[in-house]
Amino acid sequence: MDNCVSLAELLLPNIDKTPEYFENLYPARNLSEGARVTRVAPSPTGYLHLGVLFTSLVNRITATSTGGIFYTRIEDTDKKREVAGGIEDIIDGLNRFGINIDEGFISGNEQKGDYGPYQQSHRAEIYQTYVKDLIKKGLAYPCFCTAEDLEATRKIQEENKIRTGYHGEYAKHRDITYEEAKVLIEEGKQFVIRLRSPGSEEHRIAFEDTIKGKIEMPENDEDFVLLKSDGIPTYHFAHAIDDHLMHTTHVLRGDEWISSVPKHIQLFKLLGFKVPKYGHVSPIMKLDAGAKRKISKRKDPEAAVHFFAEQGYEPICVIEYLMTIAASDFEDWRRANPDADYRTFKFNLKKMSVSGALFDENKLNDVSKIKIAAMKSDEVYIRLTTWAKEFDNEFYELLTQNPDFTKGMLAIDRDDAKKPRKDIAKWNEAKEYFAYFFNNLYTPCQTLPEHINANDAKAFLTEYKKVYDANDDRQGWFDKIKAIAPSLGFAAETKEYKANPDAFKGSAGDLSTILRIAITGRTSTPDLCSIMQVLGMTECFRRIDTMIEVL
Ligand code: GLU
């Protein structure tokens, strides 16, 4: 034991605090029974990834539905992989998607809460204090092996068909004495601190994963690294210390960490900490040439959350879609509660998919169309112009040069409609969709359907101009088309035409198609009567005249 205490002093002479100091500094949280404390702990190594957004949502909603706390912690122990602006990008992204952060980093440079600092690179003293204590107790020790030493051991293990790693008789410095360590340190040798694992491969441990159910694995027998040679902890050690001191009740993280759980449980126990509940979230998958694979940061544009912003997906639409992936019962709930805030959904981790769910862009678009269809024109105006201002300035200028005109356009088949059209999933579709409202965007297309003759079309348009009244409602508008039909040999009623197609050139519906083509260049659009009212009589007549000329 003396050996251990002297070793601890030798290795970490500057650490003068004890674990008790931090235990007192970060007392238990005052939360009601059952409240869950969750967190997302991203590494600022790049942009906000769809997987991190998804895991954050799962953590957020778990905390919300139990009256708990959701916090952020920045895991920046790997300085080599860090990118400038990484923290900001992630936190701003979470905020933009409405993932409210109760504690931790709430913006790129602002932290809030009593359990900080919430950035691992600022917690070195805390980690070293606990490591020192483990060394004193004989539960950790310095290892002076170089990369070459470890490589040589690995080769021997491979040759002898032994599991590779720093364990058992291959744990070279496991029983190093104070004197031996002192000599090596005086020689200027670098060292890491390793756990003295009491585990054995023969034993198995079982734990209940809150998402995947019961999992059993061999106990950890590896003397894995706790503190690297620069005094910075490994993920494993930082996870145990931080989640203990920050009183996380549920560690919900990517399932690439499942295989590390034996190490983590062992660490919590050796440190005398209560083991948190674990839940491992399956990654979002993608179909690639018929095979399912994880969405990849390198290959898939949709891996970056920026992709959704650029395309003009509303954050809430992406979140609603992710909720359908997160909870198999969300869609039924949504149908039963079309207007409810998704945060009021009773989320249950057990209902999560245990194999990775497929990212389905069509589904996202459907979810999104429903959401956007439910918005009134004033809201669409704000959201569309906000998007355009950032991503399509030409369109922004057009949309805002006459806001009343634009709002009129956006109100069609929306504000007063019993069933608003579900046609726009993301704002980058709007320019093409509304092109004919803007002369700068609109290239007339005057090709008639094959069965309509140019002279009939011309005659109809000429007659129609005489009777058009912008004050007519939809019915009045169509009645006027029907009234012209017989004089040109078209049936006023579709029924009539269908009963006796040889007797007519077509029906009033065909005549309205001629008008639609003249006004919009398309054969299918939202309500044409409203489109004409928004465009105004002068513009409509100009377009009709152009068509008459061309025919
Ligand atoms: N920094 C880890 C990661 O990005 C966090 C894992 C965890 O949530 O504990 O994968």
Side-chain angles (χ1 to χ4, degrees), residues 509-529:
D510 292 314
L511 296 177
S512 69
T513 301
I514 298 170
L515 185 59
R516 198 180 302 276
I517 293 173
I519 303 292
T520 67
R522 299 181 186 184
T523 50
S524 146
T525 66
D527 177 46
L528 185 56
C529 167

Side-chain angles (χ1 to χ4, degrees), residues 346-360:
K346 278 277 161 250
F347 182 66
N348 181 350
L349 287 167
K350 294 217 158 50
K351 294 245 161 78
M352 282 194 79
S353 149
V354 292
S355 62
L358 270 187
F359 175 77
D360 178 346

Side-chain angles (χ1 to χ4, degrees), residues 165-229:
Y166 204 93
H167 55 78
E169 59 184 288
Y170 301 94
K172 192 169 162 204
H173 292 112
R174 189 165 234 250
D175 297 314
I176 196 166
T177 63
Y178 167 78
E179 285 74 22
E180 287 164 340
K182 190 159 183 274
V183 171
L184 291 169
I185 287 175
E186 279 164 5
E187 284 173 10
K189 293 262 164 35
Q190 298 259 6
F191 62 89
V192 299
I193 306 290
R194 289 182 182 270
L195 181 76
R196 185 193 300 270
S197 171
S200 152
E201 212 201 355
E202 319 281 279
H203 300 154
R204 293 180 76 74
I205 64 140
F207 73 100
E208 189 66 29
D209 189 283
T210 53
I211 296 169
K212 305 214 185 225
K214 186 169 177 192
I215 297 183
E216 240 191 76
M217 276 186 270
E219 203 172 63
N220 173 63
D221 67 347
E222 217 183 303
D223 286 2
F224 60 91
V225 176
L226 304 178
L227 217 55
K228 295 182 264 188
S229 55

Side-chain angles (χ1 to χ4, degrees), residues 357-394:
L358 270 187
F359 175 77
D360 178 346
E361 197 169 333
N362 292 330
K363 180 77 180 287
L364 165 63
N365 288 344
D366 288 346
V367 169
S368 198
K369 282 177 186 169
I370 295 172
K371 272 269 159 205
I372 291 181
M375 293 176 189
K376 293 291 178 216
S377 56
D378 283 341
E379 185 176 358
V380 174
Y381 180 80
I382 293 170
R383 292 179 185 269
L384 173 60
T385 53
T386 305
W387 172 82
K389 191 170 188 184
E390 192 173 350
F391 296 103
D392 186 346
N393 205 51
E394 179 206 33

